[in-house]
Amino acid sequence: MRRRHRGWLVWTVQRWRQFTQCGFFLLFVLAPVFDIFRLDLNLKHFILFGMDWTLGLDAFLAGKATAAQAAVSMLWRAFLPIVAAGAALIYASWKWGRLYCGWLCPHFSIVETINQTLRRAIGKQSLWDREKLPAQNADGSRTEADAIWWLGVIPLVILCAVLWAVVLLTYLLPPAEIYHNLWRGTLTRNQAIFLSAASLAFFVEFMFARHLFCRYACAVGLFQSLAWMANDTAMVVGFRRERASDCAGCFSACDQVCPMRLQPRSVKRVMFACVQCGQCVDACHQTQSANPDGSLLSWVNQARAESEAALTGSQARSIQIKLVRDDKE
């Protein structure tokens, strides 16, 4: 009997992650175009799904509503939506970590794209890395550094910087006006100043500080990390420390693929900026494919996640050994 092909149902984790990243990036670019969400500075209010989203204060200012009615309107239209969105993000982060960063964030998808292109040019994912990455990849392929790739790095960074500047401007002014002015070369003075300044700022950030921004400057990422660190049983990349000797034959593939320049075999507090992309887990699966005991890295939660929340590797190891004993019993 011929085995049925399940197509997209058997996609790898990284294929699924690329799919969600691409989808959210398109949403990021097209949301203002289709009036899904944007702030119109001309109208001085938000637009949500094609409808005006105001605080409802016009009636109060016109003397047609009381102060109490205006307060209720602000509560329903501003305070509660913000609290609900924040609570949902914090809860997801508390339970699963920085999933938004690793699976959706349009900035992080650009970070990863530039990382891989830069590696082809200089053998490193960042200009600030001290040593080059091994040419060998976890799947057995090789990525040799070639300076010719600088011809791809610089145009890519410029394109991403300009794209971000343009998209951000369409969140503030009517997209049809911005794209029309760009096409015709008739940008207003303020529009030209904004696009020039923003493009330059994004170029510097994408080229030199993209990792630093994600780790230390992004408020959304920081709050996700804080919520995640507060939950000792949250999902985390777990390392089988009782089998650490199996790492001897590997070239630290998990460290090399991490886009945040972390060490996935460390305890959780050292993995503060982990974005749950799972690249380290995949790399370990690939390098340990011939090992009958399987991979040393995997996503864990609940009791097994507590060992990763230990303060030191020795404490984590002792907790894991106890868990293994309990499982056998």
Side-chain angles (χ1 to χ4, degrees):
M1 180 181 293
R2 178 178 297 179
R3 185 178 179 180
R4 295 183 64 184
H5 179 62
R6 293 178 291 174
W8 57 271
L9 293 175
V10 293
W11 278 1
T12 63
V13 170
Q14 295 308 314
R15 180 65 67 83
W16 274 111
R17 196 171 70 87
Q18 291 168 358
F19 177 77
T20 59
Q21 284 180 314
C22 289
F24 199 83
F25 192 88
L26 287 175
L27 178 62
F28 167 71
V29 173
L30 298 177
V33 175
F34 293 102
D35 283 341
I36 297 175
F37 176 78
R38 65 184 179 91
L39 169 63
D40 195 312
L41 295 182
N42 292 336
L43 298 176
K44 297 181 176 57
H45 61 68
F46 288 96
I47 294 177
L48 182 65
F49 295 111
M51 298 180 292
D52 294 336
W53 184 20
T54 67
L55 296 179
L57 298 179
D58 294 341
F60 172 71
L61 295 175
K64 299 180 181 180
T66 65
Q69 291 174 325
V72 171
S73 177
M74 290 185 64
L75 177 69
W76 280 100
R77 299 188 183 195
F79 181 75
L80 288 181
I82 293 174
V83 170
L89 178 65
I90 291 175
Y91 174 76
S93 305
W94 180 82
K95 192 172 182 64
W96 297 294
R98 293 176 63 167
L99 283 181
Y100 170 78
C101 295
W103 289 70
L104 296 175
C105 178
H107 179 275
F108 192 69
S109 61
I110 291 222
V111 168
E112 290 189 276
T113 302
I114 296 175
N115 281 356
Q116 296 306 314
T117 310
L118 187 62
R119 183 190 174 193
R120 292 181 176 275
I122 62 174
K124 300 186 293 184
Q125 294 191 50
S126 170
L127 293 173
W128 311 119
D129 289 348
R130 295 182 179 180
E131 299 179 359
K132 291 184 177 181
L133 297 175
Q136 181 181 354
N137 298 313
D139 61 2
S141 62
R142 296 180 63 84
T143 301
E144 303 287 352
D146 188 339
I148 193 67
W149 276 93
W150 275 110
L151 297 178
V153 173
I154 299 301
L156 174 63
V157 175
I158 293 174
L159 175 63
C160 291
V162 173
L163 175 63
W164 263 74
V166 171
V167 171
L168 286 186
L169 187 56
T170 63
Y171 274 89
L172 302 175
L173 294 173
E177 174 187 340
I178 301 303
Y179 289 121
H180 176 271
N181 289 352
L182 277 172
W183 181 257
R184 297 292 184 181
T186 56
L187 289 170
T188 66
R189 178 174 178 275
N190 289 339
Q191 291 170 358
I193 290 175
F194 178 92
L195 290 178
S196 299
S199 296
L200 178 60
F202 280 124
F203 176 85
V204 173
E205 193 263 325
F206 287 148
M207 192 72 213
F208 302 105
R210 56 190 182 279
H211 302 97
L212 297 177
F213 176 85
C214 289
R215 295 182 69 170
Y216 305 114
C218 178
V220 175
L222 179 61
F223 279 110
Q224 287 181 93
S225 290
L226 290 174
W228 181 58
M229 294 296 289
N231 181 11
D232 288 348
T233 62
M235 185 180 74
V236 64
V237 173
F239 174 49
R240 293 283 186 175
R241 288 176 173 80
E242 71 278 6
R243 293 177 47 212
S245 59
D246 289 349
C247 291
C250 178
F251 57 97
S252 298
C254 58
D255 295 346
Q256 313 301 342
V257 299
C258 180
M260 293 296 283
R261 322 315 300 135
L262 305 176
Q263 296 177 326
R265 290 169 289 177
S266 303
V267 291
K268 183 176 179 178
R269 66 186 180 88
V270 183
M271 297 284 289
F272 179 81
C274 176
V275 296
Q276 306 289 22
C277 67
Q279 294 189 62
C280 58
V281 176
D282 286 355
C284 189
H285 276 294
Q286 292 169 338
T287 56
Q288 298 293 327
S289 59
N291 190 329
D293 294 326
S295 174
L296 287 84
L297 292 178
S298 62
W299 273 309
V300 297
N301 55 20
Q302 301 304 324
R304 290 196 174 277
E306 291 181 334
S307 67
E308 301 300 329
L311 294 179
T312 65
S314 59
Q315 292 176 344
R317 186 180 297 107
S318 63
I319 295 174
Q320 287 189 345
I321 292 175
K322 182 179 182 300
L323 289 171
V324 171
R325 290 174 180 173
D326 292 343
D327 289 343
K328 290 181 178 179
E329 293 177 358

